[in-house]
Amino acid sequence: MGYQVKEISTKPFDGQKPGTSGLRKRVKVFQQEHYTENFIQAIFDSIKADGATLVIGGDGRYFSPETVQTILKIGSANGVKKLIIGKDSILSTPAASNVIRKYKADGGPDNDFGIKYNVSNGGPAPENVTNKIYEITKTIQKYKVIEADPIDLSVIGNTSYGPTEVQIIDSVADYVELLQGIFDFQLIKDFLQNNAGSFRILFDGLHGVTGPYARAILVDTLGLPEASIQNCVALPDFGGGHPDPNLTYAHSLVEVVEAKNIQFGAASDGDGDRNMIYGKGAFVTPSDSVAIIADWAHVIPYFKKGGVKGLARSMPTSKAIDLVAQKKGLEYFEVPTGWKFFGNLMDAGRLSICGEESFGTGSDHIREKDGIWAIMAWLNIIAAANKESPNELIGIKELLRKHYAVYGRSFFSRYDYEEVSSEGANKLVALLDSAIASSSLANKTYKSKGTNQDFTIASITNFSYTDPIDGSVSKNQGQVVLFDDGSRVVFRLSGTGSAGATVRLYVERYVGPEASEKVLAGDTAEGLKGLIEVALEISNLKEFLGRDKPTVIT
């Protein structure tokens, strides 16, 4: 049977440049006539769509189902052979990466909202692909569609859309199977059952995509009670909340953990690739989290079998994982923000565990950061630590204390100034770039009024990265102010927000393991107070951005 391919005339839209997290705009922007269609067609024009097998998934938010139907229309018209789609158009980002790899698909659009394209290794598209997509969006004049009846995305099984095969898959089963091959589920289950009264768990899905995954793992597989999960029904508006796993937006988790004295709390975000670990009175920074996972990797079956090839972090992330690599004699890398940089190292067999300060943690089991993976890694580590120490209950606080006693502590915090004036943000960046060019701040000492501490600038640079695998160079990745005591302040202008500009300030101060337990366990805000004051003074941030306080502190 022949299917008529229609060509629809269109015109370019400004600003369809994919960033680290794809093309992200307000839903109303994507709902403009031809806007979404243009970008999807640009993706298909930039890849070899004819005969391809692609995976489609999203986090269930508004406009996701409609976008999946649009991808069906355009993909079919562009010769896509097969589309694999998560039931109800839902597929977490880590699960999508796994499906791409498991089914040997060519890639897939992930509408998380916006729209992101992942390549055949399951990871985010590299810059040569995203740049090609962007160039096409600037000149596009038409897109192709095949009009057929919409597919019922709620029915698992095989069907077709025009000439294209369509497979609707269980969004959860493949992913649970993946994790069962990585972690010691029996060890975790035994520990949790034997300590049901003294070690309780609470997972908060924040009404994002990970709810069904958490239920399948924690309740159905590990046998935990229903009370161990909350907000695990995926909702188009995330229940009116903001599904970011941090202390500001995951307050629903923090409040219950503190009120009910829960030993292990965890949350994931809207599309499932980030995580937060939080126990009673014990918040784990993402920088510490990935360092502890790396330090304890030997108790996780996946790494017992394959070993740890190397470690890595994004540049703004604290250097805690570097210290683990140095002690264990492992290769380690500092890369720009963006998971695709980790993917290159993984594909080359040089990286096993990595993380970003933005609550993204993962390994080479897939090519995306993976929130549920990180949570299960922590449970595996805690179960193993308690097996080694049967007379003392080891929880989050104890693991942190033991880690600091060996490696010292990197006091770390991030200040996010969201939806600020782009003009003011650019002025801040220009001031720092001018200081880099002129070396005007070198050896200059600043005194904190609040703590009376002196901080002398050793250097100020703009981070640049040469990929050791393909030789590509990424410049202007953030201004780094290094002080002579090893403290560090990083400024980054983010391009992934959907409105206005976002300026991020990262502050890190290292204290060695010889410090007292009291000092190492000190309050983060207090430990960084003086350095933060100096960072604000150096950058004139408050004046440029017109903000006295950040939107989010993590």
Side-chain angles (χ1 to χ4, degrees):
M1 179 179 178
Y3 294 91
Q4 183 181 359
V5 176
K6 295 182 180 178
E7 293 189 348
I8 310 296
S9 296
T10 186
K11 59 182 180 181
F13 289 86
D14 291 334
Q16 287 194 325
K17 183 176 176 61
T20 300
S21 298
L23 179 66
R24 296 182 64 183
K25 305 286 183 182
R26 298 292 193 192
V27 171
K28 288 184 178 179
V29 174
F30 277 97
Q31 287 176 325
Q32 296 177 87
E33 186 179 20
H34 305 312
Y35 189 94
T36 298
E37 291 85 350
N38 278 20
F39 189 69
I40 293 170
Q41 182 66 57
I43 291 174
F44 286 126
D45 284 346
S46 68
I47 64 174
K48 187 179 178 182
D50 192 36
T53 295
L54 300 176
V55 175
I56 305 176
D59 62 13
R61 74 183 72 187
Y62 285 128
F63 204 52
S64 288
E66 295 91 335
T67 302
V68 171
Q69 298 290 348
T70 301
I71 293 170
L72 282 164
K73 292 180 180 181
I74 299 176
S76 181
N78 281 271
V80 172
K81 179 183 178 182
K82 184 175 183 179
L83 289 166
I84 302 170
I85 305 174
K87 181 178 178 291
D88 296 319
S89 78
I90 291 178
L91 201 60
S92 76
T93 295
S97 180
N98 176 51
V99 170
I100 289 171
R101 295 168 65 81
K102 179 175 180 177
Y103 291 88
K104 296 180 171 55
D106 299 287
D110 184 13
N111 53 296
D112 59 352
F113 233 89
I115 299 173
K116 180 172 72 173
Y117 179 73
N118 281 25
V119 291
S120 58
N121 73 348
E127 287 185 2
N128 64 323
V129 175
T130 57
N131 287 341
K132 189 174 181 181
I133 293 170
Y134 178 50
E135 290 304 315
I136 292 170
T137 68
K138 294 193 290 186
T139 58
I140 190 168
Q141 298 296 318
K142 62 185 179 182
Y143 59 86
K144 296 186 286 188
V145 298
I146 286 178
E147 298 287 357
D149 292 334
I151 287 199
D152 185 348
L153 301 174
S154 68
V155 179
I156 293 174
N158 297 310
T159 182
S160 61
Y161 186 96
T164 302
E165 300 172 47
V166 177
Q167 182 180 1
I168 310 295
I169 63 170
D170 184 326
S171 304
V172 175
D174 286 331
Y175 181 75
V176 174
E177 180 185 344
L178 172 71
L179 293 196
Q180 286 177 318
I182 294 173
F183 300 110
D184 191 337
F185 269 59
Q186 191 60 53
L187 178 70
I188 298 169
K189 187 173 184 177
D190 289 346
F191 166 71
L192 294 176
Q193 289 183 347
N194 293 335
N195 295 275
S198 57
F199 194 91
R200 290 181 298 154
I201 286 180
L202 179 64
F203 173 85
D204 194 328
L206 301 176
H207 290 301
V209 74
T210 53
Y213 298 87
R215 179 182 297 281
I217 293 167
L218 298 177
V219 178
D220 299 341
T221 306
L222 294 177
L224 294 177
E226 188 73 19
S228 298
I229 60 174
Q230 67 178 21
N231 300 324
C232 280
V233 176
L235 298 175
D237 63 348
F238 304 118
H242 190 85
D244 264 354
N246 57 47
L247 294 175
T248 298
Y249 294 121
H251 56 84
S252 57
L253 173 73
V254 174
E255 290 163 3
V256 178
V257 165
E258 292 295 338
K260 295 187 177 181
N261 195 29
I262 291 172
Q263 287 71 36
F264 185 92
S268 189
D269 65 327
D271 66 333
D273 61 357
R274 291 181 292 141
N275 75 97
M276 179 176 79
I277 306 297
Y278 184 92
K280 172 73 173 179
F283 166 63
V284 185
T285 69
S287 301
D288 283 346
S289 180
V290 70
I292 288 172
I293 292 172
D295 191 37
W296 283 83
H298 59 279
V299 304
I300 296 172
Y302 180 85
F303 299 114
K304 279 184 186 178
K305 182 179 178 181
V308 176
K309 305 175 186 73
L311 306 176
R313 61 173 173 85
S314 64
M315 179 273 287
T317 303
S318 93
K319 297 181 178 181
I321 196 172
D322 299 13
L323 300 174
V324 175
Q326 290 163 11
K327 185 176 179 63
K328 293 181 178 294
L330 295 170
E331 187 177 25
Y332 62 99
F333 303 89
E334 178 184 46
V335 307
T337 297
W339 212 257
K340 58 193 173 188
F341 297 104
F342 295 133
N344 259 11
L345 295 166
M346 290 175 182
D347 287 346
R350 293 175 66 178
L351 175 61
S352 294
I353 299 170
C354 53
E356 296 179 332
E357 49 64 41
S358 53
F359 295 86
T361 320
S363 83
D364 59 352
H365 67 294
I366 56 171
R367 295 298 181 267
E368 284 278 10
K369 47 188 176 281
D370 190 343
I372 298 288
W373 175 92
I375 293 164
M376 291 304 297
W378 266 85
L379 289 176
N380 197 147
I381 289 165
I382 287 173
N386 278 278
K387 188 175 182 179
E388 292 177 8
S389 180
N391 298 320
E392 177 193 8
L393 183 62
I394 306 295
I396 294 172
K397 273 188 179 180
E398 291 74 22
L399 279 176
L400 287 171
R401 187 176 68 243
K402 289 174 183 290
H403 189 82
Y404 298 156
V406 174
Y407 293 101
R409 180 180 177 187
S410 293
F411 286 86
F412 181 87
S413 189
R414 177 178 116 183
Y415 280 26
D416 286 10
Y417 298 83
E418 297 176 349
E419 298 188 9
V420 298
S421 157
S422 294
E423 180 182 1
N426 287 324
K427 285 182 178 179
L428 184 153
V429 170
L431 173 72
L432 295 170
D433 283 343
S434 175
I436 293 170
S438 64
S439 300
S440 59
L441 295 181
N443 301 314
K444 189 171 182 179
T445 299
Y446 290 81
K447 183 180 287 291
S448 162
K449 295 177 182 177
T451 65
N452 211 35
Q453 293 170 289
D454 287 333
F455 293 93
T456 301
I457 295 177
S459 66
I460 176 169
T461 56
N462 198 324
F463 181 67
S464 179
Y465 175 72
T466 300
D467 193 301
I469 309 305
D470 62 20
S472 61
V473 178
S474 300
K475 297 181 178 180
N476 302 317
Q477 295 298 309
Q479 290 80 9
V480 183
V481 182
L482 182 66
F483 297 88
D484 63 2
D485 66 348
S487 298
R488 192 174 67 128
V489 175
V490 177
F491 298 87
R492 286 193 71 245
L493 179 60
S494 173
T496 59
S498 44
T502 296
V503 172
R504 294 194 168 100
L505 165 65
Y506 310 83
V507 187
E508 177 181 5
R509 176 172 165 258
Y510 176 70
V511 176
E514 68 281 356
S516 69
E517 185 175 321
K518 182 179 179 181
V519 169
L520 289 170
D523 178 71
T524 299
E526 198 61 35
L528 293 174
K529 182 178 179 182
L531 187 56
I532 290 171
E533 285 181 6
V534 168
L536 295 175
E537 181 182 351
I538 290 170
S539 62
N540 290 335
L541 184 147
K542 290 184 178 181
E543 291 78 6
F544 284 134
L545 304 187
R547 298 279 182 89
D548 287 330
K549 295 181 179 180
T551 314
V552 179
I553 298 176
T554 50

